[in-house]
Amino acid sequence: MNSKLRPGTAETYPITDRNRAKRLHERAKYDRESVYAILDAGLLCHVAYVIDGQPYCTPTIHWRKGDWLFWHGSAASRMLRNQSKGAQVCVTVSHIDALVLARCGFNHSADYRSAMCFGTARLIDDPNQKAEALREVVDRFYPDRTSLLRPSTDQEIKATSVVGMKIEEAAAKVRTKGVGDEEEDLGLPIWAGIFPVTTVIGAAKASALIPAGTEMPESLKIYAEGRRLDDALLEAQAHYEAE
Amino acid sequence: MNSKLRPGTAETYPITDRNRAKRLHERAKYDRESVYAILDAGLLCHVAYVIDGQPYCTPTIHWRKGDWLFWHGSAASRMLRNQSKGAQVCVTVSHIDALVLARCGFNHSADYRSAMCFGTARLIDDPNQKAEALREVVDRFYPDRTSLLRPSTDQEIKATSVVGMKIEEAAAKVRTKGVGDEEEDLGLPIWAGIFPVTTVIGAAKASALIPAGTEMPESLKIYAEGRRLDDALLEAQAHYEAE
């Protein structure tokens, strides 16, 4: 039992025709812990949705609270206007961990982690829920930051739409095996191996016109120069869940 | 005129209701050069498609040749079986360049580059075209590599499907401005700034059982440790186009 799951939440998502992996079953996982770990390690998701039969794939920033995913944007955006009415969506978060060079073309690959989540997007239009979500989109990434900020104006709140989706089904896929050549190809005089890939944080650059004496808060030091972004995001999520 | 465009190719994609940015018009670009630069700097795309009204968002590796995008996978995969018949898809490639922390919640943002491409996916089933594509999925990333590899077997070729899509319409969105606070918020005693984010290559790890004397080919040194992945991928694409 994963202690992070809310009481009454099953460990595993239902497996249906929608989320069942059609191939490479050994890479697929349907448990919430695996799915959450991939979602929480990223801030960029891609949302697939349909308008008049046409699929769209929009990148946006997501955050997770329990079994809900949230994203937000301009009230005028095509995606959010469409999803306000309650739309089927598929939200995917992916991380590339290594390029994999094998001894034949067929076995070239990549190590990766991805989570594909299905549900119905809904506009968060209750004013209290929306205000909470607009705090959380900041505080989930930057612990306690909204308490330090200039408060949002009514106009800013009105100009922003927040959409939420309960994750109905999900599938995680994880490949970590590096080079997976056929046994009979091992020993061929061909260089094979991996190029690891990581997304890292650079040196923070302060904005102009910050008054002397206003330092970066301690809570932002989780985004230390050189650190892996996925590690920082997981730490920020742990802060958020501990509140 | 971009000299990289093939003769007869317009510099700019048509702008229709499908790809026109509904907001933040100043971030949107419709010229092929801007779209190509974003596509070529990444290897991971997300493909949105629809099966029985349900949207799916599948991550995969893409490559670009002229105005065509390609991706591939198991002939058994749901995505490729569906797209074999000719399916409307939206393929999106996104890069996060910085987390942007402002002086109010509303102006928190990210610097990013994304390209959203629309078209009809088609199975590449001509044997010669397919063989060429299966060479190119390797050689586009790793210059001249297939000439060094154990050749693909008929079974491997049969087990793989390649899908291609002519880009009919596309839109690039690029945000580079960092902190974009309201003028009246400047000078508030609030730390604001950016955390740059880059995806970098780590130290190559050779596979086990490589015979003594088999070194990494010079052509792979574009994936040098510490280098930005997007720079390496752009250099590899330039090699590919020069052939």
Side-chain angles (χ1 to χ4, degrees), chain B residues 62-204:
Chain B
H62 70 279
W63 68 106
R64 182 186 67 82
K65 187 177 190 177
D67 221 15
W68 283 72
L69 278 179
F70 296 91
W71 54 99
H72 78 316
S74 161
S77 89
R78 169 169 35 206
M79 175 171 78
L80 295 173
R81 275 188 295 127
N82 172 255
Q83 292 168 1
S84 301
K85 300 167 221 157
Q88 290 290 309
V89 298
C90 175
V91 181
T92 300
V93 174
S94 309
H95 309 272
I96 289 276
D97 293 319
L99 313 184
V100 175
L101 291 82
R103 294 164 176 88
C104 68
F106 186 73
N107 286 323
H108 277 64
S109 187
D111 281 347
Y112 64 89
R113 292 163 284 153
S114 72
M116 211 169 172
C117 301
F118 298 92
T120 305
R122 297 174 201 286
L123 188 71
I124 306 299
D125 51 7
D126 173 87
N128 291 331
Q129 281 181 3
K130 183 176 175 180
E132 188 186 5
L134 290 178
R135 278 195 305 274
E136 291 183 332
V137 60
V138 175
D139 289 342
R140 175 266 178 264
F141 295 106
Y142 313 116
D144 309 318
R145 183 158 176 82
T146 53
S147 66
L148 305 171
L149 297 177
R150 188 265 288 156
S152 294
T153 64
D154 289 348
Q155 200 187 345
E156 287 171 343
I157 292 169
K158 203 172 161 187
T160 309
S161 285
V162 181
V163 164
M165 171 188 109
K166 186 173 188 334
I167 305 173
E168 295 166 9
E169 292 158 29
K173 274 198 172 182
V174 178
R175 186 192 194 277
T176 57
K177 75 173 178 182
V179 179
D181 268 314
E182 314 303 324
E183 252 193 72
E184 60 267 30
D185 291 341
L186 303 176
L188 288 175
I190 299 168
W191 189 89
I194 67 165
F195 297 127
V197 168
T198 48
T199 298
V200 296
I201 301 158

Side-chain angles (χ1 to χ4, degrees), chain A residues 162-224:
Chain A
V162 181
V163 163
M165 171 188 110
K166 186 172 187 338
I167 305 172
E168 295 166 8
E169 293 158 25
K173 273 198 172 181
V174 178
R175 185 192 195 277
T176 56
K177 75 173 178 181
V179 179
D181 268 316
E182 313 304 323
E183 252 193 71
E184 59 268 31
D185 291 340
L186 302 176
L188 289 175
I190 299 168
W191 190 89
I194 67 165
F195 298 127
V197 168
T198 48
T199 298
V200 296
I201 301 158
K205 289 179 198 156
S207 175
L209 299 176
I210 294 177
T214 300
E215 303 296 334
M216 185 194 292
E218 277 298 313
S219 56
L220 293 179
K221 306 249 159 109
I222 55 178
Y223 294 94

